[in-house]
Amino acid sequence: MTDRHHLTRRGLLTAGAGTAAGAALLLTGCDAPRAIRATNIGKKLAEWPDYVPAKAPKPDFPGNDAKGIQSAYLTYPTDLVTAVPEKPGNGETVTVALVTNEPVPPPLGRNTMWRAVNEALGVNLKLNFIPSASLSQKLAVMMASGDVPDIITCSDGVPTFEDFIATDLQDLTDHLSGSAIRDYPNLANLPTYSWQGVGLINGGIYGVPIQRPLPTPEMICNLDAFDKVGGLSDWTPDQFTQRMKALTGKKHWASGPVGKTDVDRHAGWRGAPNSWVLDSSGGFHPTEATAVYKDALAYIQKLVKDGVFYPDQVATPEAKTLMYGQTLYSMADTLPAYATNVAAVGSRFRFDFGRPYTIPGVTPKKWDGPGWVNYTVLKKGTPSRIKLMLRILNFLASPFGSKEYELIRFGVEGKHFTRDSHGQIQLSKLSQVENFNTLPLQYVCSPPLVAYFPGQPDAARRVWNYQTETSKYLVKNPSVGLRTAAKDRYGTVTGQILNDAATNIVNGRASVKSWDDALKEWRKQGGDKIAASLREEYAAVHGH
Amino acid sequence: MAGTASPTPPPETGTGSRAAGWWRRNRSQRALWLLAVPGIAYFAVFHYSAFVSNIIAFKQYVPFEGIWASPWAGFSNFSRLFGDPSFWAAAWNTLAISALQLVFFFPLPIALAVLLHSLAWKSVRTVFQSIIYLPHFISWVIVIALFQQILGGAGLLNGLLSDGGMHAVNIISNPGSFKPLAVAEIIWKDCGWGTIIFLASLANVPEQQYESAALDGCGPWGRFWHITLPALRPIIILLLIMRLGDILSVGFEQFLLQRPAVGPQAAEVLDTFVYYRGVLGGDWGFSAAAGLFKGVIGAILVYSANKIAHKMGEEGVYQ
């Protein structure tokens, strides 16, 4: 017989579940994005770091900082300078989380390049390599665990991370704002657009940009193949289609797998503003809602139907392999990857970039990048510890033409490279394993990129020509560097909605008309809130 | 009754004596307890203590603020979840794929195990077993790459069709063929591995039973029906109940990797939905609500299926 006052297990569970549910009901809850500290609204804004260009060897083709064009060198300088006279460290151990796109390199004990860098820095760098595809997950785990290394490479698009930066990581304003940056001359050599691209967080400077030129290469092509069908420029949309179709067939495709980036590029070529339309009253509207964007979707859908895109979804490394083997004749890729690409194919064929096509009455637009690829943030520490970290970053940002740059980029002379009789770099076999990609300190801090490719002066000339020719079409993305609660909360999900819808449409799984439904869903899931928040943040940061 | 002498000692009903008995019993089983400690610790730390974290389903969880400091969200995560058509689309895909797996994948390891068990040559059976186990150890990335290399738009099959002047067939990136394809992939990968547990059951069937049945004139079908199947029935019922508990989990990597090729309408399952919203979207509370929903449905299904098994005279997973 059961005592009716006796508490059974079932009774306990029922009571517990009921209490929990009741308590949860009573507790007030809401779905509005929480206020974030990272926002700049109502904050005193830090002065941007002074820009003091470093002394550099005279380029063969000079860059243009205002337009974000790289300096190009046809040959390697023979008179190297010392950019950092004193070792930054004194035997300290420094932990670093950095992004990599390559397999993990040999460990420190068997890695000549890593040991040489440690020796030159005067510190023991403990590197935690994070595959770039896992960066979001790793940063989320880092936030949740609170286990933070001294130096962290990060990126936007990781929800709540910018707030984590503003709360738990080091404010670098006192060290880097205005003239304070002059203590770190190689960091002062980073162009202002890169700092602005990272933006202020909580009114201060928290992130050191890993600089990239403003023009973002979009369509990297096999120039030799395109030359046979009419080239990579002076074309209309119809001629573009014809040339792509001419290159396709017999197990060859004119382009790599299709994606939303292809639609973005073509929308820009057709005159669509960069990511957001900023109206005269300061309002933000998504460029995806423009008629031009829809035209671009329809155009790419037709190209997919014509079979010019590689039919299977493959990751970028696999697409590159297909490109190097000339199964593909073009793909979407980044500017720093151009260096790896030209080195990989050598003299087999030439790489170049597709120019915007022309439509009568339309001025094409080429969408600016943010001026950075990642940015580096630091764990909170004593002033002396923070200065050590900044001295390390300053060393890693040593410019082209310095001994420090040579070490980080090419390794140790006699081991990773030799010089020929003209003083030009000749890479050794060891450099295939130990190089700036497998030991990617370039993703911790790096100087402004220059166009120099050992043994391939024409490759430098081509990339400089491309940047110069297209710089007149560049348009900025007005949301770059802005920090808002709604963007943080809804940015990834709303981005995914448009990405999925665009992929469905171009692949013929949905009609172009369905784009309106996707935009409705985008608005419902927070897109409108993002637009409204950007308007406020833009006014706070830009003062109008 | 007061004043009446009892012929037998009264049963030990006091709490103290019951506890003493419990301790006595367990002291004599110390070695078994010690062996069980790692397992108990594993479940306590990684399963039962993790239950508490379900509380984030009722919070607007911010990782760096921690569970307790994050603001309460009441039931808003659940109301958003149940009001989100993407969630129901993912749930539908999951159920559809689960049903296909149940019909086409679940019976295959049983059939294969019976086939293997019937092989008279032990060496042939060992070699065959080793071959069919191997795909289980191949990661999903490789399995999908293999399928793509064979059936993809640029794959072997389409290469042959194109060489023969025929039209290409779209299998890999066709949303319509995705669900059967996903089941075919899991059959290729895990069917062999799934035979292990059935082979272990079959190994326990005494050979004499088959011999006696054969002497009594029982044919192969009769032996299968009257000896093999009854031997397998408890384990089939057990696995079926456990599969029902996992009906809302059909895998993650397999679908994450193929989602771009066919789109979310075909390949979004609950686990990828949680990944995109929780891990990438940072909507942890919302994703925890989806996870909790999955867990509750799974628990209800296991409980119900177990009850039904008892009613049918089977042992089920637990009593």
Coordinates of all heavy atoms in Angstrom, one line a residue, chain A residues 21 24-25 27-34 37 136-137 140 143-144 159-160 163-164 167 251 253 310-314 318 489 492-493 496 500 503-504 509 524-525, chain B residues 58 60-65 72-76 80 84-85 148-149 152-155 159 163 173 175 259-265 275-277 279-284:
Chain A
A21 N 8.4 24.6 -15.3 CA 7.6 25.2 -16.3 C 6.9 26.4 -15.8 O 6.9 27.5 -16.4 CB 6.5 24.2 -16.8
A24 N 9.4 29.2 -15.3 CA 9.8 29.8 -16.6 C 8.7 30.7 -17.1 O 9.0 31.7 -17.7 CB 10.1 28.7 -17.6
L25 N 7.4 30.3 -16.9 CA 6.3 31.1 -17.4 C 6.3 32.4 -16.7 O 6.0 33.5 -17.3 CB 5.0 30.4 -17.2 CG 4.4 29.6 -18.3 CD1 3.1 28.9 -17.9 CD2 4.1 30.5 -19.5
L27 N 8.7 33.9 -15.3 CA 9.9 34.8 -15.5 C 9.6 35.6 -16.8 O 9.2 35.0 -17.8 CB 11.1 34.0 -15.6 CG 11.6 33.4 -14.3 CD1 12.5 32.2 -14.5 CD2 12.2 34.4 -13.4
T28 N 9.9 36.8 -16.7 CA 9.7 37.6 -17.9 C 10.7 37.3 -18.9 O 11.9 37.2 -18.6 CB 9.8 39.1 -17.6 OG1 11.0 39.4 -16.9 CG2 8.6 39.6 -16.8
G29 N 10.3 37.2 -20.2 CA 11.3 36.9 -21.2 C 10.9 37.6 -22.5 O 9.7 37.9 -22.7
C30 N 11.8 37.9 -23.3 CA 11.5 38.6 -24.6 C 12.5 38.2 -25.6 O 13.5 37.6 -25.3 CB 11.4 40.1 -24.4 SG 13.0 40.7 -23.9
D31 N 12.1 38.5 -26.9 CA 13.0 38.1 -28.0 C 13.8 39.2 -28.6 O 14.4 39.1 -29.6 CB 12.1 37.4 -29.0 CG 12.9 36.9 -30.2 OD1 14.0 36.5 -29.9 OD2 12.4 37.1 -31.3
A32 N 13.7 40.4 -28.0 CA 14.4 41.6 -28.6 C 15.9 41.3 -28.4 O 16.3 40.7 -27.4 CB 14.0 42.8 -27.8
P33 N 16.7 41.8 -29.4 CA 18.1 41.6 -29.2 C 18.6 42.3 -28.0 O 18.2 43.4 -27.7 CB 18.7 42.1 -30.5 CG 17.7 43.0 -31.0 CD 16.4 42.5 -30.6
R34 N 19.5 41.7 -27.2 CA 20.0 42.3 -26.0 C 20.9 43.5 -26.4 O 21.5 43.4 -27.4 CB 20.7 41.3 -25.1 CG 21.8 40.6 -25.9 CD 22.4 39.4 -25.1 NE 23.3 39.9 -24.1 CZ 24.6 40.3 -24.4 NH1 25.0 40.3 -25.6 NH2 25.4 40.7 -23.4
R37 N 27.5 46.0 -25.7 CA 28.5 47.0 -25.3 C 29.3 47.4 -26.5 O 29.9 48.5 -26.5 CB 29.4 46.4 -24.3 CG 28.8 46.1 -22.9 CD 29.8 45.4 -22.0 NE 29.0 44.8 -20.9 CZ 28.5 43.6 -20.9 NH1 28.6 42.8 -22.0 NH2 27.9 43.1 -19.8
S136 N 34.4 30.0 -36.5 CA 33.2 30.4 -35.7 C 33.1 29.5 -34.5 O 32.8 30.0 -33.4 CB 32.0 30.3 -36.6 OG 32.1 31.2 -37.6
Q137 N 33.2 28.2 -34.7 CA 32.9 27.3 -33.6 C 34.0 27.5 -32.5 O 33.7 27.5 -31.4 CB 33.0 25.8 -34.1 CG 31.8 25.4 -35.0 CD 32.1 25.5 -36.4 OE1 32.7 26.6 -36.9 NE2 31.9 24.5 -37.2
A140 N 33.4 30.5 -30.5 CA 32.3 30.3 -29.6 C 32.7 29.5 -28.4 O 32.3 29.9 -27.2 CB 31.1 29.6 -30.4
M143 N 34.7 31.7 -26.1 CA 33.9 32.6 -25.3 C 33.3 31.9 -24.1 O 33.3 32.4 -23.0 CB 32.7 33.1 -26.2 CG 33.0 34.3 -26.9 SD 31.5 35.0 -27.6 CE 31.1 33.9 -28.9
A144 N 32.7 30.7 -24.4 CA 32.0 30.0 -23.4 C 32.9 29.5 -22.3 O 32.6 29.5 -21.1 CB 31.2 28.8 -24.0
P159 N 28.4 35.5 -33.7 CA 27.5 36.2 -32.8 C 28.0 36.3 -31.4 O 28.6 35.4 -30.9 CB 26.2 35.3 -32.9 CG 26.3 34.6 -34.2 CD 27.7 34.4 -34.4
T160 N 27.8 37.5 -30.9 CA 28.2 37.9 -29.5 C 29.7 38.1 -29.3 O 30.1 38.5 -28.3 CB 27.7 37.0 -28.4 OG1 28.3 35.8 -28.4 CG2 26.2 36.8 -28.4
D163 N 30.9 41.6 -28.6 CA 30.5 42.0 -27.3 C 31.5 41.4 -26.3 O 31.8 42.0 -25.3 CB 29.1 41.6 -27.0 CG 28.3 42.7 -26.3 OD1 28.8 43.9 -26.3 OD2 27.3 42.4 -25.6
F164 N 31.9 40.2 -26.6 CA 32.9 39.5 -25.8 C 34.2 40.3 -25.8 O 34.9 40.5 -24.8 CB 33.1 38.1 -26.4 CG 34.3 37.3 -25.7 CD1 34.2 37.0 -24.4 CD2 35.4 37.0 -26.5 CE1 35.2 36.3 -23.8 CE2 36.4 36.2 -25.9 CZ 36.3 35.9 -24.5
T167 N 33.9 43.3 -23.7 CA 33.8 43.0 -22.3 C 35.1 42.4 -21.7 O 35.5 42.8 -20.6 CB 32.6 42.0 -22.0 OG1 31.5 42.5 -22.7 CG2 32.3 41.8 -20.6
K251 N 34.1 17.8 -70.7 CA 34.6 17.6 -69.4 C 35.5 18.8 -69.0 O 36.4 18.7 -68.2 CB 35.4 16.3 -69.2 CG 34.5 15.1 -69.4 CD 35.3 13.8 -69.3 CE 34.4 12.7 -69.7 NZ 35.1 11.4 -69.9
W253 N 34.9 23.1 -67.8 CA 33.8 24.1 -67.5 C 34.5 25.5 -67.4 O 35.6 25.6 -67.0 CB 33.2 23.7 -66.2 CG 32.3 22.5 -66.2 CD1 31.0 22.5 -66.5 CD2 32.7 21.1 -66.1 NE1 30.5 21.2 -66.5 CE2 31.5 20.3 -66.3 CE3 33.9 20.5 -65.9 CZ2 31.6 19.0 -66.2 CZ3 33.9 19.1 -65.8 CH2 32.8 18.3 -66.0
Y310 N 30.7 24.5 -63.0 CA 31.0 23.1 -62.6 C 29.8 22.5 -61.9 O 29.3 23.2 -61.0 CB 32.2 23.1 -61.7 CG 32.8 21.7 -61.4 CD1 33.4 20.9 -62.4 CD2 32.7 21.2 -60.1 CE1 33.9 19.7 -62.1 CE2 33.1 19.9 -59.8 CZ 33.7 19.2 -60.8 OH 34.2 17.9 -60.5
P311 N 29.3 21.3 -62.3 CA 28.0 20.9 -61.8 C 27.9 20.5 -60.3 O 26.9 20.4 -59.8 CB 27.7 19.8 -62.7 CG 29.0 19.2 -63.2 CD 29.9 20.4 -63.2
D312 N 29.1 20.1 -59.7 CA 29.0 19.6 -58.4 C 29.6 20.6 -57.4 O 30.4 21.5 -57.7 CB 29.9 18.3 -58.3 CG 29.3 17.2 -59.1 OD1 28.1 17.1 -59.2 OD2 30.1 16.4 -59.7
Q313 N 29.1 20.6 -56.1 CA 29.6 21.5 -55.1 C 30.9 20.9 -54.6 O 31.0 19.8 -54.1 CB 28.6 21.6 -53.9 CG 27.3 22.4 -54.3 CD 27.7 23.8 -54.5 OE1 28.5 24.4 -53.9 NE2 26.9 24.5 -55.4
V314 N 32.0 21.7 -54.7 CA 33.3 21.3 -54.2 C 33.8 22.4 -53.4 O 33.5 23.6 -53.6 CB 34.3 20.9 -55.3 CG1 33.9 19.6 -56.0 CG2 34.4 22.0 -56.4
E318 N 39.6 22.0 -53.6 CA 39.3 21.1 -54.7 C 39.1 21.8 -56.0 O 39.6 21.4 -57.0 CB 38.1 20.2 -54.3 CG 38.1 18.9 -55.1 CD 36.9 18.1 -54.7 OE1 36.3 18.2 -53.6 OE2 36.5 17.2 -55.6
R489 N 22.8 39.9 -33.7 CA 21.8 38.8 -33.3 C 21.2 38.1 -34.6 O 21.1 36.9 -34.6 CB 20.7 39.5 -32.5 CG 19.5 38.6 -32.3 CD 19.7 37.5 -31.3 NE 18.7 36.5 -31.3 CZ 17.6 36.7 -30.5 NH1 17.5 37.7 -29.6 NH2 16.7 35.7 -30.5
T492 N 23.7 36.5 -39.1 CA 24.1 35.2 -39.7 C 22.9 34.5 -40.2 O 22.9 34.0 -41.4 CB 24.7 34.3 -38.6 OG1 25.8 35.1 -38.0 CG2 25.3 33.1 -39.2
V493 N 21.8 34.5 -39.5 CA 20.6 33.8 -39.9 C 20.0 34.5 -41.1 O 19.6 33.8 -42.1 CB 19.5 33.8 -38.7 CG1 18.2 33.2 -39.2 CG2 20.1 32.9 -37.6
Q496 N 22.0 33.7 -44.2 CA 21.8 32.3 -44.6 C 20.5 32.2 -45.4 O 20.5 31.5 -46.4 CB 21.7 31.4 -43.4 CG 21.7 29.9 -43.7 CD 23.1 29.5 -44.2 OE1 24.1 29.9 -43.8 NE2 23.1 28.7 -45.3
D500 N 20.7 30.8 -49.1 CA 20.0 29.6 -49.5 C 19.1 29.9 -50.7 O 19.0 29.1 -51.6 CB 19.2 29.0 -48.3 CG 20.1 28.3 -47.3 OD1 21.2 28.0 -47.6 OD2 19.6 28.2 -46.2
T503 N 21.0 30.4 -53.9 CA 21.5 29.1 -54.4 C 20.4 28.3 -55.1 O 20.6 27.7 -56.1 CB 22.2 28.4 -53.3 OG1 23.1 29.2 -52.6 CG2 23.0 27.2 -53.8
N504 N 19.3 28.3 -54.5 CA 18.1 27.6 -55.0 C 17.7 28.1 -56.4 O 17.5 27.4 -57.3 CB 16.9 27.7 -54.1 CG 17.0 26.6 -53.0 OD1 17.7 25.7 -53.1 ND2 16.2 26.9 -51.9
R509 N 16.2 25.5 -58.8 CA 15.3 24.8 -57.9 C 14.2 25.7 -57.5 O 13.2 25.2 -56.8 CB 16.1 24.3 -56.7 CG 17.2 23.3 -57.0 CD 17.7 22.6 -55.7 NE 18.5 23.5 -54.9 CZ 19.8 23.5 -54.8 NH1 20.5 22.8 -55.6 NH2 20.4 24.3 -54.0
K524 N 11.3 39.3 -42.0 CA 10.7 38.7 -40.8 C 11.7 38.2 -39.8 O 11.5 38.3 -38.6 CB 9.8 37.5 -41.3 CG 8.8 37.0 -40.3 CD 7.9 36.0 -40.9 CE 7.6 34.9 -39.9 NZ 7.1 33.7 -40.5
Q525 N 12.8 37.7 -40.2 CA 13.8 37.1 -39.3 C 14.7 38.1 -38.8 O 15.7 37.7 -38.1 CB 14.5 36.0 -40.0 CG 13.7 34.8 -40.4 CD 13.3 33.9 -39.2 OE1 13.7 34.1 -38.1 NE2 12.4 32.9 -39.5
Chain B
F58 N 15.4 28.1 -21.9 CA 14.5 29.2 -21.3 C 15.2 30.5 -21.1 O 14.8 31.3 -20.4 CB 13.9 28.7 -20.0 CG 13.2 27.3 -20.1 CD1 13.8 26.2 -19.8 CD2 11.9 27.3 -20.6 CE1 13.2 24.9 -20.0 CE2 11.2 26.1 -20.7 CZ 11.9 24.9 -20.4
Q60 N 18.0 33.6 -22.9 CA 18.6 34.2 -24.0 C 20.1 34.1 -23.7 O 20.8 35.0 -23.2 CB 18.2 35.7 -24.2 CG 18.5 36.2 -25.5 CD 17.9 37.6 -25.7 OE1 16.9 37.9 -25.2 NE2 18.6 38.5 -26.5
Y61 N 20.7 33.0 -24.1 CA 22.0 32.6 -23.6 C 23.1 33.3 -24.3 O 23.1 33.4 -25.5 CB 22.2 31.1 -23.8 CG 23.5 30.5 -23.4 CD1 24.0 30.6 -22.1 CD2 24.3 30.0 -24.4 CE1 25.3 30.1 -21.8 CE2 25.6 29.5 -24.1 CZ 26.0 29.6 -22.8 OH 27.3 29.1 -22.5
V62 N 24.0 33.9 -23.5 CA 25.2 34.5 -24.1 C 26.4 33.8 -23.5 O 26.6 33.7 -22.3 CB 25.3 36.0 -23.6 CG1 26.5 36.7 -24.2 CG2 24.0 36.7 -23.9
P63 N 27.2 33.1 -24.4 CA 28.2 32.2 -24.0 C 29.2 32.8 -22.9 O 29.5 32.2 -21.9 CB 29.0 31.9 -25.2 CG 28.0 32.1 -26.3 CD 27.1 33.2 -25.9
F64 N 29.6 34.0 -23.1 CA 30.7 34.6 -22.2 C 30.1 35.1 -20.9 O 30.8 35.4 -20.0 CB 31.5 35.6 -22.9 CG 30.8 36.9 -23.3 CD1 30.8 37.9 -22.4 CD2 30.3 37.0 -24.5 CE1 30.1 39.1 -22.7 CE2 29.6 38.2 -24.9 CZ 29.5 39.2 -23.9
E65 N 28.8 35.2 -20.8 CA 28.1 35.6 -19.6 C 27.8 34.4 -18.7 O 27.6 34.5 -17.5 CB 26.9 36.4 -19.8 CG 27.2 37.8 -20.3 CD 26.0 38.7 -20.5 OE1 24.9 38.2 -20.5 OE2 26.2 39.9 -20.7
W72 N 16.6 35.6 -18.7 CA 15.6 34.7 -18.9 C 14.8 35.1 -20.1 O 14.6 36.2 -20.4 CB 14.6 34.6 -17.7 CG 15.2 34.0 -16.5 CD1 15.8 34.6 -15.4 CD2 15.3 32.5 -16.3 NE1 16.2 33.6 -14.5 CE2 15.9 32.4 -15.0 CE3 14.9 31.4 -17.0 CZ2 16.2 31.1 -14.5 CZ3 15.2 30.2 -16.4 CH2 15.8 30.0 -15.2
A73 N 14.3 34.0 -20.8 CA 13.5 34.3 -22.0 C 12.1 33.7 -21.9 O 11.4 33.7 -22.9 CB 14.2 33.8 -23.3
G74 N 11.8 33.1 -20.8 CA 10.5 32.4 -20.7 C 10.3 31.3 -21.7 O 11.3 30.5 -21.9
F75 N 9.2 31.3 -22.3 CA 8.9 30.3 -23.4 C 9.1 30.8 -24.8 O 8.7 30.2 -25.7 CB 7.5 29.7 -23.2 CG 7.4 28.6 -22.1 CD1 6.9 28.9 -20.9 CD2 7.9 27.4 -22.4 CE1 6.8 27.9 -19.9 CE2 7.9 26.4 -21.4 CZ 7.3 26.7 -20.2
S76 N 9.7 32.0 -24.8 CA 9.8 32.7 -26.1 C 10.6 31.9 -27.2 O 10.3 31.9 -28.3 CB 10.3 34.1 -26.0 OG 11.7 34.1 -25.7
R80 N 8.9 30.8 -30.7 CA 9.6 31.2 -31.9 C 9.8 29.9 -32.7 O 9.6 29.8 -34.0 CB 10.9 31.8 -31.7 CG 10.8 33.3 -31.4 CD 12.1 34.0 -31.6 NE 13.2 33.6 -30.8 CZ 14.4 33.3 -31.1 NH1 14.8 33.4 -32.4 NH2 15.3 32.9 -30.2
D84 N 8.1 28.8 -36.4 CA 9.1 28.9 -37.5 C 8.9 27.8 -38.6 O 9.1 26.6 -38.3 CB 10.5 28.8 -37.0 CG 11.5 29.2 -38.0 OD1 11.2 29.1 -39.2 OD2 12.7 29.6 -37.6
P85 N 8.4 28.2 -39.8 CA 8.2 27.1 -40.8 C 9.5 26.3 -41.1 O 9.4 25.2 -41.5 CB 7.7 27.9 -42.0 CG 7.4 29.3 -41.6 CD 8.2 29.5 -40.3
Q148 N 29.9 11.3 -55.1 CA 29.9 12.4 -56.0 C 30.8 12.1 -57.2 O 30.5 12.4 -58.4 CB 30.5 13.7 -55.3 CG 30.3 14.9 -56.1 CD 30.6 16.2 -55.3 OE1 29.8 16.5 -54.4 NE2 31.7 16.8 -55.6
Q149 N 31.9 11.4 -56.9 CA 32.8 11.0 -58.0 C 32.2 10.0 -59.0 O 32.5 10.0 -60.1 CB 34.1 10.4 -57.5 CG 35.1 11.4 -56.8 CD 35.7 12.4 -57.7 OE1 36.0 12.0 -58.9 NE2 35.8 13.6 -57.3
G152 N 28.0 12.1 -59.5 CA 27.9 13.6 -59.6 C 27.8 14.1 -61.1 O 28.0 13.3 -62.0
G153 N 27.5 15.4 -61.2 CA 27.4 15.9 -62.6 C 28.7 15.8 -63.4 O 28.6 15.7 -64.6
A154 N 29.8 15.8 -62.7 CA 31.1 15.6 -63.4 C 31.7 14.3 -63.0 O 32.9 14.1 -63.2 CB 32.1 16.7 -62.9
G155 N 30.8 13.3 -62.6 CA 31.3 12.0 -62.1 C 31.4 11.0 -63.2 O 31.2 11.3 -64.4
G159 N 30.2 10.9 -67.1 CA 31.3 10.9 -68.1 C 31.0 9.8 -69.1 O 31.1 10.1 -70.3
D163 N 30.2 10.4 -73.0 CA 31.0 9.7 -74.1 C 30.1 9.0 -75.0 O 30.5 8.8 -76.2 CB 32.0 8.8 -73.4 CG 33.1 9.5 -72.7 OD1 33.2 10.8 -72.9 OD2 33.8 8.9 -71.8
S173 N 22.7 16.4 -57.2 CA 22.2 17.7 -56.9 C 20.7 17.9 -57.2 O 20.2 19.0 -57.4 CB 23.0 18.8 -57.6 OG 23.0 18.6 -59.0
P175 N 17.1 17.7 -55.8 CA 16.4 17.6 -54.5 C 15.5 16.4 -54.4 O 15.3 15.8 -53.4 CB 15.7 18.9 -54.3 CG 16.3 19.8 -55.3 CD 16.9 19.0 -56.4
R259 N 23.9 19.6 -48.1 CA 22.9 20.7 -48.1 C 23.1 21.7 -49.2 O 22.2 22.1 -49.9 CB 22.9 21.3 -46.7 CG 21.8 22.3 -46.5 CD 22.0 22.9 -45.0 NE 21.0 23.9 -44.7 CZ 21.0 25.1 -45.0 NH1 22.0 25.6 -45.8 NH2 20.1 26.0 -44.6
P260 N 24.4 22.2 -49.4 CA 24.5 23.2 -50.5 C 24.2 22.6 -51.8 O 23.7 23.4 -52.7 CB 26.0 23.5 -50.4 CG 26.5 23.0 -49.1 CD 25.6 21.9 -48.7
A261 N 24.3 21.3 -52.1 CA 24.1 20.8 -53.4 C 22.6 20.7 -53.7 O 22.2 20.8 -54.9 CB 24.7 19.4 -53.5
V262 N 21.8 20.4 -52.7 CA 20.3 20.2 -53.0 C 19.4 21.3 -52.3 O 18.2 21.3 -52.5 CB 19.9 18.8 -52.6 CG1 20.5 17.8 -53.5 CG2 20.2 18.5 -51.1
G263 N 20.0 22.1 -51.5 CA 19.2 23.1 -50.8 C 18.6 22.6 -49.5 O 18.4 21.4 -49.3
P264 N 18.2 23.6 -48.7 CA 17.7 23.2 -47.3 C 16.3 22.5 -47.5 O 15.9 21.8 -46.6 CB 17.5 24.6 -46.6 CG 17.6 25.6 -47.7 CD 18.4 25.0 -48.8
Q265 N 15.6 22.8 -48.5 CA 14.2 22.2 -48.6 C 14.3 20.7 -48.6 O 13.5 20.0 -48.1 CB 13.5 22.6 -49.9 CG 12.9 24.0 -49.9 CD 14.0 25.1 -50.1 OE1 15.2 24.8 -50.3 NE2 13.6 26.4 -50.0
Y275 N 22.4 23.4 -35.9 CA 23.8 23.9 -36.1 C 23.7 25.3 -36.7 O 24.5 26.2 -36.2 CB 24.5 22.9 -37.1 CG 25.8 23.4 -37.6 CD1 26.9 23.4 -36.8 CD2 25.9 23.9 -38.9 CE1 28.1 23.8 -37.3 CE2 27.1 24.4 -39.4 CZ 28.2 24.3 -38.6 OH 29.4 24.8 -39.0
Y276 N 22.9 25.5 -37.7 CA 22.9 26.8 -38.4 C 22.4 27.9 -37.4 O 22.9 29.0 -37.4 CB 22.0 26.8 -39.6 CG 22.8 26.3 -40.8 CD1 22.6 25.0 -41.3 CD2 23.8 27.0 -41.4 CE1 23.3 24.5 -42.4 CE2 24.6 26.5 -42.5 CZ 24.3 25.2 -42.9 OH 25.1 24.7 -44.0
R277 N 21.3 27.6 -36.6 CA 20.8 28.6 -35.7 C 21.6 28.8 -34.5 O 21.8 29.9 -34.0 CB 19.3 28.2 -35.3 CG 18.3 28.4 -36.4 CD 18.2 29.9 -36.8 NE 17.3 30.1 -37.8 CZ 16.0 30.3 -37.6 NH1 15.5 30.3 -36.3 NH2 15.2 30.5 -38.6
V279 N 25.0 27.2 -33.5 CA 26.4 27.4 -33.6 C 26.8 28.6 -34.5 O 27.6 29.4 -34.1 CB 27.1 26.1 -34.1 CG1 28.6 26.3 -34.2 CG2 26.8 24.9 -33.2
L280 N 26.2 28.6 -35.7 CA 26.6 29.7 -36.6 C 25.8 31.0 -36.2 O 26.3 32.1 -36.3 CB 26.4 29.3 -38.0 CG 27.3 28.2 -38.5 CD1 27.1 28.0 -40.0 CD2 28.7 28.5 -38.2
G281 N 24.5 30.8 -36.0 CA 23.6 32.0 -35.7 C 23.7 32.5 -34.3 O 23.2 33.6 -34.0
G282 N 24.3 31.7 -33.4 CA 24.5 32.2 -32.0 C 23.2 32.3 -31.3 O 23.1 32.9 -30.2
D283 N 22.1 31.6 -31.8 CA 20.8 31.6 -31.1 C 20.7 30.4 -30.3 O 20.0 29.4 -30.5 CB 19.7 31.6 -32.2 CG 18.4 32.3 -31.7 OD1 18.3 32.4 -30.4 OD2 17.5 32.6 -32.5
W284 N 21.5 30.3 -29.2 CA 21.7 29.1 -28.4 C 20.5 28.7 -27.7 O 20.2 27.5 -27.7 CB 22.8 29.3 -27.4 CG 24.1 29.8 -28.0 CD1 24.6 31.0 -28.2 CD2 25.1 28.9 -28.6 NE1 25.8 31.1 -28.8 CE2 26.2 29.8 -29.1 CE3 25.3 27.6 -28.8 CZ2 27.3 29.3 -29.7 CZ3 26.4 27.1 -29.4 CH2 27.4 28.0 -29.9

